[in-house]
Amino acid sequence: MSQIVDARPFAYEFAPERAALVVIDMQRDFLEPGGFGETLGNDVGLLAPAIAGTARLLRAARAAGMLIVHTRECHRPDLSDCPPAKRGRGAPSLRIGDVGPMGRILIAGEPGADIIPALAPLAGELVIDKPGKGAFHATDLHALLGARGVTHLLFAGVTTEVCVQTTMREANDRGYDCLLVEDATDSYFPAFKQAVLDMVRAQGAIVGWTADSHQVAAALRA
Ligand code: C5J
């Protein structure tokens, strides 16, 4: 049965059994002091508002029996999946693979790579480790969604203009109808978040739709 979200730029219609909630990189390395985000000079507190919206979405999606996918940006301990160009870029205080207060920065299995406890995955939910910004790059995500007949993706997570936007654009090109949940995503740069919201829904939803978590939860309850 289809649900309709009061979305922008116009209503978004989806069937929960053919949809997935994709929560991008809500990891300690991005949201807590001492992780990757802070090594780059960012104020990690700017991402905290997205936690409540994401938690609301998770509750609604779980109650509706929707497929839930969590992603984690992280690399193998030997860094074989981390391009030197990624590790070498900029002047962070610690680089990917260096030891920080939450273990090695952005490395699979380290405490910093974990999803924050407030949004921890439940048994049966998919957890995709991804070496890139986009969750479709070098992962099985498209195959896993295809095997479940998923056609619609609802996005939450961080950061809006890096991993969330990249994944949403990858998904758009693969034929998914995508909705970005406005209060369930944040950026270290609030103006960049606003720009992404504006650009994805411009030109008749050229990349996708946006709505807030209350609107999505209301549709899932209907
Ligand atoms: C970044 C991400 N910002 N998850 N990663 O490097 O957006």
Side-chain angles (χ1 to χ4, degrees):
M1 199 178 79
S2 276
Q3 308 297 336
I4 297 180
V5 182
D6 183 12
R8 283 159 286 283
F10 49 86
Y12 176 80
E13 191 170 345
F14 73 106
E17 64 276 14
R18 304 203 52 172
L21 171 61
V22 182
V23 181
I24 303 283
D25 301 356
M26 289 299 268
Q27 296 163 254
R28 299 183 65 198
D29 257 326
F30 294 105
L31 287 128
E32 294 186 12
F36 184 60
E38 196 176 72
T39 70
L40 294 168
N42 298 304
D43 172 2
V44 295
L46 289 166
L47 304 188
I51 297 171
T54 305
R56 183 174 302 108
L57 278 179
L58 280 169
R59 282 194 299 275
R62 284 168 179 156
M66 250 174 76
L67 177 65
I68 295 172
V69 181
H70 305 259
T71 70
R72 298 185 294 207
E73 182 178 351
C74 57
H75 294 277
R76 296 181 191 140
D78 65 2
L79 296 177
S80 57
D81 60 354
C82 181
K86 179 176 182 182
R87 184 163 194 269
R89 190 149 321 147
S93 55
L94 291 171
R95 293 193 186 276
I96 295 169
D98 289 348
V99 177
M102 294 189 286
R104 294 179 67 201
I105 299 283
L106 233 53
I107 297 296
E110 299 286 339
D114 274 351
I115 292 169
I116 59 168
L119 303 176
L122 297 185
E125 296 175 358
L126 298 180
V127 180
I128 306 280
D129 284 347
K130 63 184 189 49
K133 309 282 194 279
F136 290 87
H137 168 69
T139 72
D140 294 336
L141 180 57
H142 192 42
L144 291 167
L145 296 174
R148 289 160 174 80
V150 171
T151 55
H152 287 61
L153 298 177
L154 280 61
F155 284 100
V158 297
T159 61
T160 317
E161 81 283 8
V162 184
C163 291
V164 177
Q165 177 171 222
T166 302
T167 302
M168 195 169 173
R169 288 177 181 276
E170 287 180 328
N172 191 62
D173 281 347
R174 286 166 175 77
Y176 298 94
D177 277 322
C178 299
L179 181 143
L180 174 55
V181 184
E182 297 160 11
D183 58 330
T185 183
D186 267 311
S187 169
Y188 301 119
F189 304 91
F192 291 174
K193 169 181 172 175
Q194 189 58 49
V196 171
L197 295 177
D198 290 341
M199 71 176 81
V200 301
R201 64 194 173 203
Q203 304 178 76
I206 195 147
V207 178
W209 287 253
T210 76
D212 75 28
S213 62
H214 295 278
Q215 291 168 314
V216 174
L220 284 169
R221 277 195 305 271

Short mmCIF file of all heavy atoms in Angstrom, two decimals, residues 24-25 27 30 36 40 73 86 106 130 133 158-164 188, ligand 1:
data_model
loop_
_atom_site.label_atom_id
_atom_site.label_comp_id
_atom_site.label_asym_id
_atom_site.label_seq_id
_atom_site.Cartn_x
_atom_site.Cartn_y
_atom_site.Cartn_z
N ILE A 24 23.11 7.38 6.92
CA ILE A 24 24.50 7.50 6.47
C ILE A 24 25.44 7.93 7.61
O ILE A 24 25.29 9.03 8.18
CB ILE A 24 24.61 8.55 5.33
CG1 ILE A 24 23.68 8.21 4.15
CG2 ILE A 24 26.06 8.75 4.89
CD1 ILE A 24 24.18 7.12 3.25
N ASP A 25 26.38 7.09 7.95
CA ASP A 25 27.60 7.46 8.71
C ASP A 25 27.36 8.20 10.03
O ASP A 25 28.11 9.13 10.37
CB ASP A 25 28.54 8.31 7.83
CG ASP A 25 28.97 7.61 6.55
OD1 ASP A 25 28.61 6.43 6.37
OD2 ASP A 25 29.65 8.24 5.73
N GLN A 27 28.35 8.02 12.84
CA GLN A 27 29.44 7.37 13.58
C GLN A 27 30.08 8.30 14.59
O GLN A 27 30.11 9.53 14.41
CB GLN A 27 30.53 6.93 12.58
CG GLN A 27 30.11 5.89 11.58
CD GLN A 27 31.07 5.84 10.41
OE1 GLN A 27 30.76 6.29 9.32
NE2 GLN A 27 32.27 5.29 10.63
N PHE A 30 32.46 11.01 13.35
CA PHE A 30 31.96 12.28 12.81
C PHE A 30 31.26 13.13 13.86
O PHE A 30 31.26 14.35 13.78
CB PHE A 30 31.00 12.02 11.64
CG PHE A 30 31.69 11.41 10.46
CD1 PHE A 30 31.53 10.07 10.16
CD2 PHE A 30 32.54 12.17 9.67
CE1 PHE A 30 32.19 9.50 9.08
CE2 PHE A 30 33.21 11.61 8.60
CZ PHE A 30 33.04 10.27 8.30
N PHE A 36 37.40 11.69 13.37
CA PHE A 36 37.83 12.19 12.06
C PHE A 36 37.35 13.62 11.82
O PHE A 36 38.13 14.47 11.38
CB PHE A 36 37.29 11.25 10.98
CG PHE A 36 37.72 11.59 9.59
CD1 PHE A 36 39.06 11.61 9.24
CD2 PHE A 36 36.77 11.88 8.60
CE1 PHE A 36 39.46 11.92 7.94
CE2 PHE A 36 37.17 12.18 7.31
CZ PHE A 36 38.51 12.20 6.97
N LEU A 40 39.74 17.30 11.30
CA LEU A 40 39.72 18.19 10.14
C LEU A 40 39.44 19.64 10.53
O LEU A 40 39.32 20.50 9.66
CB LEU A 40 38.67 17.71 9.13
CG LEU A 40 38.97 16.35 8.48
CD1 LEU A 40 37.75 15.83 7.73
CD2 LEU A 40 40.15 16.46 7.52
N GLU A 73 31.41 4.92 7.16
CA GLU A 73 32.60 5.21 6.35
C GLU A 73 33.81 4.74 7.14
O GLU A 73 34.09 5.25 8.23
CB GLU A 73 32.72 6.71 6.05
CG GLU A 73 33.92 7.02 5.17
CD GLU A 73 34.06 8.51 4.81
OE1 GLU A 73 33.14 9.28 5.09
OE2 GLU A 73 35.12 8.85 4.25
N LYS A 86 43.12 10.23 -0.70
CA LYS A 86 42.18 10.53 0.39
C LYS A 86 42.93 10.72 1.71
O LYS A 86 42.69 11.67 2.45
CB LYS A 86 41.15 9.40 0.51
CG LYS A 86 40.14 9.61 1.63
CD LYS A 86 39.06 8.51 1.65
CE LYS A 86 38.03 8.76 2.74
NZ LYS A 86 37.00 7.71 2.81
N LEU A 106 38.87 6.29 11.54
CA LEU A 106 38.11 5.80 10.39
C LEU A 106 38.52 4.38 9.94
O LEU A 106 38.52 4.07 8.75
CB LEU A 106 38.26 6.79 9.20
CG LEU A 106 36.96 7.28 8.54
CD1 LEU A 106 35.98 7.87 9.54
CD2 LEU A 106 37.27 8.30 7.46
N LYS A 130 31.68 1.26 4.06
CA LYS A 130 31.97 1.82 2.74
C LYS A 130 33.28 2.62 2.78
O LYS A 130 33.49 3.42 3.68
CB LYS A 130 30.81 2.71 2.28
CG LYS A 130 30.55 3.92 3.16
CD LYS A 130 29.32 4.65 2.65
CE LYS A 130 29.05 5.97 3.25
NZ LYS A 130 30.13 6.95 3.35
N LYS A 133 32.82 8.08 -0.26
CA LYS A 133 31.77 8.99 0.19
C LYS A 133 30.41 8.39 -0.14
O LYS A 133 29.49 8.41 0.67
CB LYS A 133 31.92 10.35 -0.51
CG LYS A 133 33.33 10.96 -0.43
CD LYS A 133 33.59 11.58 0.91
CE LYS A 133 34.82 12.48 0.90
NZ LYS A 133 36.09 11.75 1.04
N VAL A 158 24.92 11.99 8.07
CA VAL A 158 25.90 13.07 7.95
C VAL A 158 27.02 12.66 7.00
O VAL A 158 27.28 11.48 6.82
CB VAL A 158 26.50 13.40 9.35
CG1 VAL A 158 25.41 13.90 10.28
CG2 VAL A 158 27.24 12.22 9.98
N THR A 159 27.72 13.66 6.46
CA THR A 159 27.34 15.05 6.45
C THR A 159 26.53 15.31 5.18
O THR A 159 26.74 14.65 4.16
CB THR A 159 28.57 16.00 6.50
OG1 THR A 159 29.38 15.77 5.34
CG2 THR A 159 29.39 15.77 7.75
N THR A 160 25.66 16.31 5.25
CA THR A 160 24.69 16.49 4.18
C THR A 160 25.34 16.60 2.81
O THR A 160 24.90 15.95 1.85
CB THR A 160 23.85 17.76 4.43
OG1 THR A 160 23.49 17.82 5.81
CG2 THR A 160 22.62 17.77 3.56
N GLU A 161 26.37 17.45 2.71
CA GLU A 161 26.90 17.74 1.36
C GLU A 161 28.02 16.79 0.95
O GLU A 161 28.48 16.86 -0.20
CB GLU A 161 27.39 19.20 1.28
CG GLU A 161 28.78 19.46 1.86
CD GLU A 161 28.80 19.52 3.40
OE1 GLU A 161 27.78 19.21 4.03
OE2 GLU A 161 29.86 19.86 3.94
N VAL A 162 28.45 15.92 1.87
CA VAL A 162 29.53 14.99 1.48
C VAL A 162 28.90 13.61 1.27
O VAL A 162 28.43 13.29 0.17
CB VAL A 162 30.68 15.00 2.51
CG1 VAL A 162 31.83 14.10 2.03
CG2 VAL A 162 31.23 16.42 2.69
N CYS A 163 28.83 12.78 2.30
CA CYS A 163 28.41 11.39 2.06
C CYS A 163 26.91 11.25 1.78
O CYS A 163 26.51 10.35 1.03
CB CYS A 163 28.84 10.52 3.23
SG CYS A 163 30.64 10.34 3.26
N VAL A 164 26.09 12.12 2.36
CA VAL A 164 24.64 11.98 2.11
C VAL A 164 24.34 12.39 0.67
O VAL A 164 23.69 11.65 -0.08
CB VAL A 164 23.83 12.82 3.12
CG1 VAL A 164 22.34 12.73 2.80
CG2 VAL A 164 24.10 12.34 4.54
N TYR A 188 28.81 20.25 8.95
CA TYR A 188 29.63 21.16 9.74
C TYR A 188 29.48 22.60 9.22
O TYR A 188 29.96 23.53 9.85
CB TYR A 188 31.10 20.75 9.66
CG TYR A 188 31.40 19.33 10.14
CD1 TYR A 188 31.95 18.38 9.28
CD2 TYR A 188 31.14 18.95 11.46
CE1 TYR A 188 32.23 17.10 9.72
CE2 TYR A 188 31.42 17.67 11.90
CZ TYR A 188 31.97 16.74 11.03
OH TYR A 188 32.25 15.47 11.46
C1 C5J B 1 32.97 13.09 5.37
C2 C5J B 1 30.86 11.94 5.53
N1 C5J B 1 32.43 14.29 5.59
N2 C5J B 1 30.30 10.89 6.09
N3 C5J B 1 32.22 11.97 5.43
O1 C5J B 1 34.16 13.00 5.11
O2 C5J B 1 30.19 12.88 5.12
#
